[in-house]
Amino acid sequence: MTIYLVDIEHITHICPVHPDGHPYDIRRTVVDVIPGGPCRAPVTVRCGEQTVQIPCHRHEPAKRQCGACRVIVTERTITIRTPDGAAA
């Protein structure tokens, strides 16, 4: 299982339509990647007389992928920031 650790920053502003504020810029930063390792259930693909094995994540939907090919995204921090001064 490959795990991506992500920091998220929402930059918001306040306007007459949204007096509580709303994000106008969302930035995601990948902080760390923990690889899951090689595929444990490769899929055999045939085309004519050619046969090749590919990792299951290239062929199968997420729920049928092996544990090594699955991807999990974990949000480490979510920061909401409003810049000083006038609305953007």
Side-chain angles (χ1 to χ4, degrees):
M1 181 172 334
T2 301
I3 300 172
Y4 290 90
L5 192 59
V6 178
D7 285 346
I8 300 175
E9 180 181 14
H10 293 260
I11 301 174
T12 63
H13 79 111
I14 298 170
C15 60
V17 178
H18 300 283
D20 295 331
H22 65 93
Y24 68 91
D25 188 8
I26 300 173
R27 298 175 187 206
R28 294 171 183 89
T29 306
V30 177
V31 178
D32 192 18
V33 178
I34 302 168
C39 180
R40 297 182 197 134
V43 177
T44 302
V45 178
R46 292 178 185 83
C47 183
E49 294 188 19
Q50 293 287 338
T51 303
V52 67
Q53 284 194 334
I54 60 173
C56 65
H57 74 271
R58 291 183 56 197
H59 189 269
E60 301 294 331
K63 64 182 180 182
R64 292 195 336 219
Q65 293 175 4
C66 72
C69 288
R70 286 197 184 113
V71 173
I72 293 181
V73 178
T74 303
E75 299 167 344
R76 184 175 76 166
T77 60
I78 300 175
T79 305
I80 299 174
R81 184 170 62 90
T82 302
D84 295 333

